[in-house]
Amino acid sequence: MAQYSIEDLRTDAERLGLRHQAGPVDDRAIERVDLVAVDGLSSTAAGTLVIITGDEQPPPFRIDVALRQASARGLAGVVFASDLALPETAAVLAGRAGVPVFAAPGTKAADLAKAIDRAIAGGASEAMMRGALAVERATAAAASDGTIDAILAAASAALGIEVALVEDPSVSWSQSDAVCIGEVPIGRVVASSPDAATGVAVPVIASLLSRAVQRSTRDRYASTQSRADLLIELVLAESSRVEGFVGQAARLGLPLQQSHVAAWLAPTSAADPQARAPRTVQPALELFALQLVEARDEMWHLAFLQDDLMLVCTEEHGAADHQRRVREVAVRIQEQAQVLGGPGWAYTLGLGTPQLGAIGVRQSAAEARIAAESAIAAGRLGGVELTDVTGLRRVLLDVYASPISRDLLHDILHPLDALGPERALTAVRTLQVYLAHGSSLVHAGRELMMHPNGVGYRMRQIRERLDVDLDDPDTRFAVELACRVRLLGAV
């Protein structure tokens, strides 16, 4: 192992309580450390770092004599265990004689000698000492300042080795040097010259940094996350309650009166379409999205509804390329989601159109959601789907945007779901075409490319399952509307 030198002593000065006063700082080896009176240097062996005992500063002439003796005997350096005010003549002498001079105010000479002796000897005890001091100083910095830079600076000074936070999104949250927000990896703590002491300190430093990053992120995005909660309520609420959100939104800095475009990102498992997305994806994707939009000029909001991500961009009414800019950002988020989810998952993106006001947020979100769900139902996984909002489809989107209306219409067709997804969809399609053609088996069969008898057979089974009176005009209207809304997600 390399010998402990004056350079090393200078590096460790802060943790040892030393202050360099004069003389060179070089690579000369410190072979031993000894406690000596100011007038007792005449018999000290070469290569010794002497600690001059006594709380009081020696007279100037005693200091000059001690420095001359240290030079003559080839001592490694001199440490005064007092708050030394080195005379100018002594400082010049130290430089000329090549004697490093340190002061150790407020430090017990015996304790200092033990600490330096452990540093000279190296090994586990010295590493534990430096590591423990780094943990102590970093913890104190976290409690007082709390910033990442302050924690790293305190730890580096105590270790005598620079430690830094290096971005590394591939690090696992379970690794000892990982810095994470929850289980979302941010980076790792890296030492410029790893040794046993950094091995002791780095896990604690990483934990302190994780808490600091989490606190900073929470404060940084608190308003964004509050707006996300409000958006979820707004999208899921009934139309009659929409205006009640305007005041609350204004207090959170969300101008509902402006124009909004929504994007909807939905995950689908190739192996099991009903499976939930990996739980690690959502927090990592949320952080990525927040950082992505932070520096942009537009106002952005994002919220998760189970595994689906809703992204909303708010701008002044009539802003140019509003939807295009939303698409650019949403596609980057889609790409990151695919990386996080892995090859077994597909993330399908639906885009709504620009809509004005509080109702517009709901409308654009419904458009984006239906666009994504329609693509998934049609097997177009992992793509980008734009909204087609013409004619009847616009009316159906309005119905779909209402949770209560959607649930009521779903209840009408719920008995058909027992057939399984594919057969239920076939039954709904058959029922919709049959009703659209005024209950004509011939005309329905022509559109479905079936024999009228086959349509009749299906309709008998459908009637038995639904147990509704399709001859009643109101019932017919409600059932056909339910069919059309259900089929929005299957085209």
Side-chain angles (χ1 to χ4, degrees):
M1 185 181 70
Q3 285 189 294
Y4 195 72
S5 69
I6 291 296
E7 286 181 333
D8 296 326
L9 186 69
R10 172 66 178 274
T11 301
D12 292 340
E14 183 175 345
R15 73 176 181 84
L16 294 172
L18 294 175
R19 186 174 66 223
H20 179 247
Q21 295 287 91
V25 175
D26 50 29
D27 61 355
R28 75 183 69 184
I30 302 174
E31 297 181 6
R32 66 190 65 81
V33 62
D34 201 359
L35 297 172
V36 182
V38 70
D39 57 356
L41 273 64
S42 58
S43 60
T44 305
T48 302
L49 177 71
V50 296
I51 300 177
I52 304 297
T53 57
D55 296 333
E56 298 295 327
Q57 177 171 318
F61 79 92
R62 286 288 187 191
I63 295 176
D64 288 351
V65 172
L67 295 180
R68 293 180 188 278
Q69 288 179 327
S71 177
R73 299 198 63 80
L75 301 185
V78 178
V79 179
F80 289 87
S82 60
D83 191 4
L84 181 66
L86 195 66
E88 186 175 348
T89 55
V92 173
L93 178 59
R96 289 178 179 174
V99 179
V101 179
F102 294 83
T107 303
K108 292 183 179 180
D111 292 342
L112 178 60
K114 290 178 183 178
I116 296 175
D117 187 60
R118 283 196 292 265
I120 294 170
S125 61
E126 188 272 340
M128 287 297 295
M129 178 188 69
R130 286 198 296 124
L133 183 63
V135 168
E136 178 185 337
R137 298 282 176 83
T139 302
S144 59
D145 186 292
T147 65
I148 294 172
D149 290 342
I151 295 170
L152 290 172
S156 298
L159 287 168
I161 296 171
E162 183 181 0
V163 289
L165 174 58
V166 177
E167 288 189 14
D168 184 2
S170 66
V171 67
S172 169
W173 66 270
S174 60
Q175 291 178 260
S176 62
D177 61 351
V179 177
C180 303
I181 300 177
E183 295 183 8
V184 180
I186 302 299
R188 61 172 71 242
V189 178
V190 176
S192 58
S193 301
D195 63 5
T198 60
V200 171
V202 160
V204 180
I205 297 169
S207 177
L208 292 170
L209 291 178
S210 293
R211 278 182 275 179
V213 170
Q214 188 160 356
R215 183 171 58 249
S216 173
T217 302
R218 183 188 62 232
D219 296 342
R220 184 175 171 185
Y221 298 123
S223 60
T224 302
Q225 291 167 337
S226 297
R227 292 196 296 267
D229 295 338
L230 183 139
L231 278 174
I232 293 173
E233 287 189 62
L234 176 61
V235 169
L236 297 181
E238 276 306 295
S239 300
S240 59
R241 294 183 52 214
V242 169
E243 294 306 319
F245 289 95
V246 175
Q248 184 180 354
R251 289 191 293 272
L252 292 175
L254 172 55
L256 286 180
Q257 73 278 9
Q258 293 188 2
S259 179
H260 315 277
V261 173
W264 196 280
L265 188 63
T268 308
S269 168
D272 179 7
Q274 304 303 317
R276 295 290 305 271
R279 64 186 180 90
T280 56
V281 170
Q282 186 173 124
L285 189 61
E286 180 180 28
L287 182 61
F288 174 85
L290 288 170
Q291 293 174 335
L292 177 64
V293 302
E294 185 177 23
R296 295 184 64 95
D297 294 333
E298 310 91 357
M299 178 176 284
W300 296 86
H301 331 282
L302 61 124
F304 281 92
L305 289 85
Q306 293 190 341
D307 294 334
D308 292 5
L309 171 64
M310 178 179 66
L311 180 72
V312 178
C313 176
T314 298
E315 288 201 82
E316 292 286 348
H317 180 54
D321 298 326
H322 194 172
Q323 189 182 47
R324 178 189 60 77
R325 283 179 279 116
V326 173
R327 177 172 182 161
E328 288 177 356
V329 171
V331 166
R332 290 191 61 187
I333 296 173
Q334 179 188 29
E335 291 169 350
Q336 180 66 12
Q338 189 61 67
V339 171
L340 294 170
W345 288 86
Y347 284 80
T348 306
L349 178 64
L351 291 173
T353 58
Q355 300 290 336
L356 194 62
I359 295 294
V361 175
R362 293 159 51 85
Q363 179 67 41
S364 191
E367 293 172 356
R369 180 177 182 178
I370 292 172
E373 291 179 352
S374 298
I376 292 170
R380 300 189 301 273
L381 305 182
V384 179
E385 294 289 326
L386 299 178
T387 298
D388 173 18
V389 287
T390 57
L392 178 60
R393 191 174 177 84
R394 166 74 75 175
V395 177
L396 294 177
L397 283 170
D398 288 334
V399 174
Y400 189 90
S402 167
I404 290 181
S405 299
R406 194 165 60 243
D407 290 343
L408 288 173
L409 295 175
H410 172 77
D411 289 344
I412 293 174
L413 300 177
H414 181 65
L416 297 179
D417 293 335
L419 297 170
E422 291 187 9
R423 292 182 62 198
L425 185 60
T426 299
V428 171
R429 172 65 174 156
T430 301
L431 178 56
Q432 186 268 316
V433 172
Y434 173 77
L435 294 175
H437 286 286
S439 304
S440 169
L441 297 178
V442 174
H443 291 155
R446 189 173 299 143
E447 181 171 339
L448 294 170
M449 292 186 291
M450 293 178 59
H451 192 280
N453 291 344
V455 178
Y457 174 75
R458 284 187 186 176
M459 285 304 307
R460 283 193 296 274
Q461 292 184 315
I462 291 171
R463 285 176 183 270
E464 290 174 3
R465 287 186 174 274
L466 292 183
D467 192 24
V468 294
D469 183 8
L470 293 181
D471 295 325
D472 178 72
D474 291 340
T475 301
R476 289 171 59 85
F477 175 78
V479 172
E480 184 174 359
L481 182 61
C483 291
R484 289 185 178 276
V485 171
R486 173 75 70 92
L487 291 171
L488 277 175
V491 296

